[in-house]
Amino acid sequence: MRRILFVALLALGLGTLTEVSGNHLPEAGLNLNERFFDEVRELIKRRMEAKQLPLAGDELALQNQRSYDNVPIPAASVPVPVLVENWPTDQHSFGQVTAVSVDPEGNPVIFHRADRYWDVNTFNESNIYYLIEYGPIKEKTIYVLDPKTGAIKTGWGSDMFYMPHGMTIDAHGNYWITDVAMHQAFKFRPFESKPQLVIGKRFRPGASVKQLCKPTSIAVATTGEFFIADGYCNSRILKFNAAGKLLRSIPQPPEFLSLQVPHAITLLEHLDLLCIADRENMRVVCPKAGLKSSHGEGQPAATIQEPDLGRVFGVSGYGDIVFAVNGPTSMLPVRGFTIDPRSETIIGHWGEFKNPHSIAVSVNGSALYVTETGTNHQTNRVWKYVLA
């Protein structure tokens, strides 16, 4: 009963009662317990009465927006990914392809590890990269592909990265990259070796506001604000302004959102949502991004968690929907998902994979790409889908 009332308090937005549960309530006898429950009932009563009051101004606008947000997407308007057979036309010898993005010209761009592999010997217990002495990867780690044939058009990124992970290309063609070995996130102009912006301290993992620890992914808004999934160790999202000043951390009080390895992130700017591949919690969660206003920040996140979803590795937003891929999870099929955050449901399944790691949709919605990581060039690959 105590737990039920505590959950009710959280659901009603009354919860500033921290560390109150069946194991933490005072053990001072029936009188104190009765007084506690009386106070709970009074709080619930006041909250329910407040819900009946007419709303005005920003509160009314916010409620109207919530009503709009909950409208499900008509099935007829949902694009369906269809595999493009025999793409690429020629086989590539990539290393583990950890990320894919699409540049403003519609070219798919991949980020790979060449001859590097992440295994149990890559980091110590303090998340320090063991192989610093080997230096950065000598080979080009970024390749721009032809969208029609998959042939390599150009490449760059040699002698720059140690353990590639995430890559996002923004509307201006800037490359946003994470390296889990260096514990850093970077912003580059195309084909430049010197970053415009660096977040985190080189090879120094940490949880302070100036450090990262194995960051996984970056999402960039048209406003210039950007989000970093600080990923494997800290399980948090950091929001920055365009100049790299930290604005907030997600989650933060009063948000009741616990992340376990936020592996990829994407923005649905129209809905002001940041959708997170919350990998080890086996779900996609979409808190308010706070790009339009700060009113929605801290609200309960839209949550998509269904039995067949499994560990989510990649997410990519398109319009009001999210495309996602899961990874090996027990006996579940490894495949793609189409998700409607407004109704908090999976509205489509597609594809068949072995070990997908990332996903990206072109800006005009003409194509979708999925990358896989494996142990050889045949399993390290890129798939192309068209959206029909």
Side-chain angles (χ1 to χ4, degrees), residues 87 99-103 105-110 143-154 167 169 175 360 362 367-369 382-384:
W87 190 98
V100 63
S101 191
V102 183
D103 69 18
E105 288 73 43
N107 300 307
V109 184
I110 65 99
Y143 286 111
V144 180
L145 308 181
D146 185 294
K148 293 182 179 180
T149 66
I152 294 174
K153 298 175 71 173
T154 186
M167 179 185 66
I169 303 174
Y175 285 64
S362 61
L368 177 152
Y369 300 90
V382 188
W383 301 93
K384 179 179 179 179

Side-chain angles (χ1 to χ4, degrees), residues 87-88 91-101 108-118 137 139-145 150 152 163-167 178 216 232 263 313-314 325 353-360 369-384:
W87 190 98
Q91 191 67 253
H92 298 305
S93 298
F94 296 139
Q96 292 184 327
V97 188
T98 60
V100 63
S101 191
V109 184
I110 65 99
F111 193 30
H112 79 121
R113 291 175 177 160
D115 60 352
R116 299 280 168 91
Y117 288 88
W118 186 351
I137 297 168
E139 187 179 328
K140 294 175 182 177
T141 53
I142 298 170
Y143 286 111
V144 180
L145 308 181
I152 294 174
M163 187 61 68
H165 198 279
M167 179 185 66
T178 66
T216 53
Y232 284 94
H263 195 262
F313 277 71
V325 287
F353 307 104
K354 292 184 178 179
N355 200 31
H357 197 265
S358 69
I359 182 172
Y369 300 90
V370 175
T371 72
E372 295 206 59
T373 59
T375 56
N376 56 58
H377 70 273
Q378 292 179 325
T379 53
N380 293 316
R381 62 165 303 165
V382 188
W383 301 93
K384 179 179 179 179

Side-chain angles (χ1 to χ4, degrees), residues 128-177:
I128 301 295
Y129 182 58
Y130 267 134
L131 308 175
I132 297 175
E133 63 189 70
Y134 288 92
I137 297 168
K138 303 300 181 185
E139 187 179 328
K140 294 175 182 177
T141 53
I142 298 170
Y143 286 111
V144 180
L145 308 181
D146 185 294
K148 293 182 179 180
T149 66
I152 294 174
K153 298 175 71 173
T154 186
W156 60 287
S158 58
D159 290 307
M160 292 172 64
F161 306 109
Y162 287 75
M163 187 61 68
H165 198 279
M167 179 185 66
T168 299
I169 303 174
D170 68 22
H172 303 288
N174 298 304
Y175 285 64
W176 299 77
I177 285 170

Side-chain angles (χ1 to χ4, degrees), residues 334-362:
V334 180
R335 54 186 174 177
F337 300 83
T338 306
I339 291 170
D340 178 5
R342 294 190 292 179
S343 62
E344 299 181 284
T345 56
I346 295 171
I347 56 177
H349 300 84
W350 47 272
E352 182 179 344
F353 307 104
K354 292 184 178 179
N355 200 31
H357 197 265
S358 69
I359 182 172
V361 183
S362 61

Side-chain angles (χ1 to χ4, degrees), residues 273-308:
L273 293 179
L274 176 74
C275 290
I276 305 165
D278 189 9
R279 196 183 77 179
E280 298 308 305
N281 280 328
M282 294 188 284
R283 63 183 183 176
V284 174
V285 291
C286 302
K288 286 293 184 180
L291 300 173
K292 298 179 180 180
S293 74
S294 60
H295 288 298
E297 293 182 343
Q299 289 181 16
T303 302
I304 301 89
Q305 188 169 33
E306 298 189 16
D308 66 335

Side-chain angles (χ1 to χ4, degrees), residues 328-334:
T329 311
S330 187
M331 301 297 290
L332 292 178
V334 180

Side-chain angles (χ1 to χ4, degrees), residues 26-37:
E27 296 180 357
L30 282 176
N31 290 336
L32 184 55
N33 284 343
E34 289 173 0
R35 188 165 69 249
F36 171 79
F37 288 119

Side-chain angles (χ1 to χ4, degrees), residues 175-359:
Y175 285 64
W176 299 77
I177 285 170
T178 66
D179 187 309
V180 290
M182 299 168 77
H183 304 289
Q184 288 180 308
F186 307 91
K187 176 187 178 182
F188 290 91
R189 287 194 179 99
F191 308 101
E192 291 191 359
S193 59
K194 185 177 180 180
Q196 280 188 296
L197 186 66
V198 180
I199 306 293
K201 297 186 177 181
R202 187 179 176 92
F203 297 117
R204 293 175 59 188
S208 75
V209 295
K210 294 184 179 181
Q211 290 176 285
L212 303 174
C213 188
K214 296 178 183 171
T216 53
S217 179
I218 302 176
V220 186
T222 54
T223 60
E225 294 164 287
F226 62 96
F227 300 78
I228 298 176
D230 183 29
Y232 284 94
C233 320
N234 295 325
S235 287
R236 63 184 179 179
I237 310 295
L238 301 177
K239 178 182 177 181
F240 298 84
N241 69 11
K245 179 182 178 182
L246 182 65
L247 299 176
R248 70 183 295 245
S249 177
I250 304 171
Q252 65 183 22
E255 291 171 300
F256 292 96
L257 178 64
S258 176
L259 302 174
Q260 290 192 51
V261 187
H263 195 262
I265 53 179
T266 189
L267 282 164
L268 299 182
E269 290 198 49
H270 178 61
L271 300 178
D272 197 25
L273 293 179
L274 176 74
C275 290
I276 305 165
D278 189 9
R279 196 183 77 179
E280 298 308 305
N281 280 328
M282 294 188 284
R283 63 183 183 176
V284 174
V285 291
C286 302
K288 286 293 184 180
L291 300 173
K292 298 179 180 180
S293 74
S294 60
H295 288 298
E297 293 182 343
Q299 289 181 16
T303 302
I304 301 89
Q305 188 169 33
E306 298 189 16
D308 66 335
L309 188 54
R311 299 162 69 228
V312 188
F313 277 71
V315 287
S316 183
Y318 176 65
D320 290 349
I321 63 175
V322 173
F323 293 105
V325 287
N326 67 357
T329 311
S330 187
M331 301 297 290
L332 292 178
V334 180
R335 54 186 174 177
F337 300 83
T338 306
I339 291 170
D340 178 5
R342 294 190 292 179
S343 62
E344 299 181 284
T345 56
I346 295 171
I347 56 177
H349 300 84
W350 47 272
E352 182 179 344
F353 307 104
K354 292 184 178 179
N355 200 31
H357 197 265
S358 69
I359 182 172

